[in-house]
Amino acid sequence: MPPHLSHEEFFTSLADLLSKTSQKARGSVYLTQKPMLHGTDSGSTSQPAILIRASDGNTNAPNPKKDKVQKKSSPSTKVKLSTLVAPEELETFYARYAEVCKGGMTGLKKRDRKQKKAKKGAAGKAAKA
């Protein structure tokens, strides 16, 4: 596994990943975070460092349903980004993290919920009759 990126490298790579994904017709970016417990006792009062990860979700595993489509185009490699944030740096990190994530979400389309509501309403009326 590659070493963790510095905060600046992580933010630059994350912004690039978000912009590439929003330019495509579709795609996903997975953001995860978890505490890094380095084998310390659970009774310790100090806060652990936080591991922040970002991935585009691409895998090279073949999908049997879309096997014919994937043979035509070459599979892309999975993008994996990660950084460690110390407890004392969390506040400033999350402020910048929120800015980068909001900036990357400008290309998203709002969900059309009217169609779902219309389908639910029609199904509910038919069941009552």
Side-chain angles (χ1 to χ4, degrees), residues 4-118:
H4 302 297
L5 301 173
S6 71
H7 298 319
E8 287 303 315
E9 291 172 336
F10 179 79
F11 290 133
T12 317
S13 300
L14 179 61
D16 186 42
L17 178 63
L18 288 170
S19 67
K20 284 181 182 177
T21 305
S22 67
Q23 290 172 357
K24 294 180 188 177
R26 55 170 142 163
S28 300
V29 175
Y30 299 95
L31 303 171
T32 59
Q33 57 187 5
K34 70 176 190 177
M36 281 297 290
L37 304 174
H38 297 286
T40 58
D41 296 337
S42 59
S44 64
T45 58
S46 65
Q47 291 183 329
I50 305 293
L51 175 66
I52 309 286
R53 291 182 180 151
S55 171
D56 66 347
N58 287 336
T59 61
N60 292 329
N63 185 348
K65 293 181 181 177
K66 298 181 181 179
D67 196 30
K68 295 175 186 174
V69 177
Q70 287 185 356
K71 284 183 182 177
K72 293 178 184 176
S73 63
S74 63
S76 60
T77 58
K78 185 173 185 175
V79 177
K80 294 181 180 180
L81 309 172
S82 65
T83 188
L84 275 175
V85 184
E88 57 272 1
E89 300 172 340
L90 277 176
E91 203 168 313
T92 55
F93 179 85
Y94 277 131
R96 177 84 190 276
Y97 186 59
E99 288 175 18
V100 171
C101 289
K102 285 179 187 176
M105 294 181 189
T106 56
L108 297 177
K109 294 188 294 185
K110 191 172 181 177
R111 285 179 53 187
D112 186 17
R113 297 176 182 257
K114 293 177 185 176
Q115 291 177 351
K116 281 189 175 182
K117 286 183 180 178

